[in-house]
Amino acid sequence: MSNNSSIIKLLNLNSISDDRGSLISLEKSKEIPFEVKRIYYLYDLKDNKPRGFHAHKNLEQVMIALHGSCDLILDDGKVRKSIKLDSPNIAVHVTKGLWREMHNFTSDAVILVIASEIYDENDYIRDYKRFLSFAK
Ligand code: TYD
């Protein structure tokens, strides 16, 4: 597996830093490429308990490790790529129809997810074989 492929879309973030620290702002129609309907975050994570293992039919999202790190795997049914989320400067736009997995969480990881849809279990594809036939 390699990283930096076309399925891993990094957002351009502007970090505003001074001697007090750093600030990143995420605005609709600027950094965030969709209308935000939901925000959630993952925390209290375990390195031996990977998460995700699903795709969405319609939802897209932006993922940022606000603290700590994990490896994000994205898979379009043909190629599978990974990127380490290990900085609040790294924001990945997970576009529609990608299988995603998160592995190797550090115990201090806090993963922010900004989503284009409210929670809807019907939008999930949790079976990899079903995902592959959906992705064709
Ligand atoms: P799950 O999809 O397994 O999380 P992950 O993709 O990080 O592995 O979600 C865990 C549980 O939380 C599951 O019962 C669905 C529920 N859930 C909500 O109720 N609302 C949400 O916004 C999300 C993301 C999950």
Side-chain angles (χ1 to χ4, degrees):
M1 243 182 317
S2 58
N3 65 14
N4 285 330
S5 82
S6 59
I7 63 173
I8 296 185
K9 300 196 185 311
L10 295 173
L11 299 180
N12 280 326
L13 302 181
N14 182 28
S15 181
I16 305 165
S17 298
D18 58 33
D19 59 4
R20 300 167 300 164
S22 298
L23 179 158
I24 291 174
S25 162
L26 304 173
E27 282 188 24
K28 179 182 164 186
S29 306
K30 287 190 187 167
E31 290 80 9
I32 304 295
F34 49 78
E35 189 181 341
V36 177
K37 294 205 181 143
R38 179 167 52 110
I39 295 171
Y40 62 93
Y41 40 94
L42 307 172
Y43 65 102
D44 197 16
L45 299 156
K46 314 281 184 280
D47 68 348
N48 61 347
K49 299 280 185 191
R51 300 188 64 124
F53 296 91
H54 65 258
H56 286 279
K57 297 172 198 163
N58 288 311
L59 176 145
E60 47 188 316
Q61 65 190 41
V62 169
M63 300 181 66
I64 303 170
L66 293 182
H67 197 258
S69 70
C70 72
D71 293 317
L72 172 66
I73 294 174
L74 297 178
D75 179 339
D76 68 0
K78 296 187 183 71
V79 276
R80 189 174 163 86
K81 303 286 179 180
S82 81
I83 181 168
K84 188 167 279 294
L85 303 182
D86 61 358
S87 164
N89 280 303
I90 298 172
V92 177
H93 179 201
V94 182
T95 51
K96 291 177 192 182
L98 293 178
W99 183 265
R100 83 286 318 271
E101 299 173 14
M102 288 162 280
H103 295 261
N104 304 322
F105 294 105
T106 56
S107 58
D108 58 351
V110 180
I111 312 297
L112 176 70
V113 182
I114 301 167
S116 67
E117 305 297 332
I118 59 168
Y119 176 72
D120 176 8
E121 190 58 38
N122 292 323
D123 192 57
Y124 280 69
I125 303 170
R126 293 190 184 271
D127 179 77
Y128 190 71
K129 282 188 185 155
R130 195 172 152 240
F131 162 70
L132 288 179
S133 50
F134 194 83
K136 267 183 194 163

